[in-house]
């Protein structure tokens, strides 16, 4: 089972060697590939998902041909495993982790996020000593869970300066044939609380994708000043925005509304702006939730949620109903914030399905979107929309009969292909 595959080296026994199946032009052919083809209905209810076996050809990192199966073809045997879009972890911190090092539980929290900032000022120099190595180990963990892409936040603050970013960029460069990423320059210690401004400005010119942030009111003591700076930096460098917002209450809501206003004033930021966590949405009454969800949807501001449970249930279905882009990610795997990350976003999709009662064949199949950043093989009517010729060959093979089973059973990941390269 996947749960015991802690390190990719343990998977080498069943790894597929692609070399002998690649022709001179770098073509990879897979046979006995299971793809979803439609829904089976009884009266109005989807009762099962139809699949069939296919022959899939990949060339130059793209899907170049999808043909009826030929069991006798000279090709890699996908053994009837279900092919799905490779998974995407849309919120993780690859740059600061204990993964690959010795076990350490989380310490008792003192002084909220500011207490954690003080702790980080002590421990970041130690973490940075081998953070490239640990990021690579963590990428291998994600790959073993079917993930081929991550949006990683990376600390930009006065202790790490730009070193955490540089170390992560080294790791991503080493892994670039097997793993894709986008980077959020993350002022974990505040934009102004600890003066990260010069480092953020420098980071914005270093091949990053998003300007990050954290709790503008409770850390920096100012919503407008911090958001204005973030928005301007993003606009100046054509970047997106992804802000951690843990704070609830009036300041949390004000931050959400102010950011929505700024995005509406600067439509270039539509579709490129996200709030991570955004716990305040879980604390609003139903009417207010609907109102804010509609505003987020109209401004195309997305929400990235780790799908918390316990006292806080995020209104993710309400957000989705209003067309808000909702993503998930592991956030922490094992670090000084949290040690419960498994690395699996399929498990997050399972948690989503359980929390929000998505238990029928149809709703389970829709829940897969949490693992794939919203890409689904079948549309809501059961029409096949993935894969298509020309799609990136970012694929995962699972030991499952359909998406619904994969989500419900957290089915084992058998193989991962990134841009046509067999990762394992
Ligand atoms: Zn985070």
């Amino acid at each position: 089972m996947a749960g015991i595959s802690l390190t990719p080296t343990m998977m080498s026994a069943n790894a597929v060697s692609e070399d002998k199946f690649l022709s001179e032009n770098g073509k990879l052919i897979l046979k006995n590939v299971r793809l979803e083809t439609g829904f089976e209905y009884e009266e109005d209810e989807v009762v099962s998902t139809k699949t069939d076996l296919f022959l899939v050809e990949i060339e130059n990192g793209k899907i170049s041909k999808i043909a009826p199966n030929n069991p006798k073809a000279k090709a890699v045997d996908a053994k009837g495993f279900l092919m799905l879009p490779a998974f995407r972890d849309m919120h993780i911190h690859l740059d600061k982790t204990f993964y690959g090092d010795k076990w350490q539980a989380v310490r008792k929290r003192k002084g909220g996020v500011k207490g954690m900032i003080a702790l980080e000022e002590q421990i970041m120099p130690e973490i940075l000593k081998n953070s490239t190595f640990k990021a690579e180990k963590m990428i291998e963990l994600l790959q073993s869970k079917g993930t081929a892409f991550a949006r990683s936040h990376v600390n930009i603050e006065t202790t790490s300066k730009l070193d955490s970013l540089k170390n992560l960029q080294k790791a991503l460069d080493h892994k670039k044939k097997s793993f894709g990423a986008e980077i959020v320059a993350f002022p974990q210690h505040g934009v102004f609380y600890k003066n990260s401004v010069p480092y953020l400005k420098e980071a914005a010119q270093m091949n990053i994708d998003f300007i990050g942030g954290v709790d503008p009111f409770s850390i920096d003591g100012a919503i407008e000043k911090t958001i204005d700076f973030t928005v301007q930096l993003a606009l100046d460098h054509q970047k997106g925005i992804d802000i951690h917002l843990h704070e609830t209450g009036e300041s949390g809501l004000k931050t959400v509304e102010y950011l929505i206003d700024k995005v509406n004033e600067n439509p270039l930021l539509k579709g490129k702006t996200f709030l991570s966590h955004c716990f305040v949405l879980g604390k609003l009454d139903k009417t207010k939730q609907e109102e804010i969800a509609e505003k987020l949807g109209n401004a195309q501001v997305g929400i990235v949620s780790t799908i918390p449970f316990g006292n806080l249930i995020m209104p993710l279905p309400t957000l989705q109903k209003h067309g808000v882009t909702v993503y998930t990610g592991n956030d922490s795997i094992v670090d000084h914030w949290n040690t419960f990350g498994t690395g699996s976003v399929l498990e997050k999709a399972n948690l989503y399905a359980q929390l929000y009662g998505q238990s029928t064949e149809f709703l389970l199949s829709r829940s897969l979107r949490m693992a794939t950043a919203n890409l689904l093989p079948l549309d809501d009517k059961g029409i096949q929309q993935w894969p298509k010729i020309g799609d990136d060959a970012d694929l995962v093979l699972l030991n499952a009969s359909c998406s619904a089973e994969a989500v419900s059973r957290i089915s084992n990941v058998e193989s991962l292909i990134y841009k046509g390269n067999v990762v394992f």
Side-chain angles (χ1 to χ4, degrees), residues 281-297:
L281 298 178
K283 302 272 191 183
L284 302 173
D285 66 47
K286 269 215 130 318
T287 320
K288 196 73 183 167
Q289 280 178 347
E290 295 274 349
E291 182 198 321
I292 299 294
E294 194 183 345
K295 283 187 184 170
L296 287 165

Side-chain angles (χ1 to χ4, degrees), residues 91-93 96 153 186 188 213 242 244 246 276-277 306 330-332 335 337:
H91 187 119
I92 195 162
H93 298 257
K96 49 172 180 181
H153 294 252
F186 174 41
Q188 168 80 76
D242 191 334
H244 281 69
H246 311 97
S276 282
H277 306 304
T306 56
N330 277 276
D331 201 358
S332 293
D335 61 25
W337 293 84

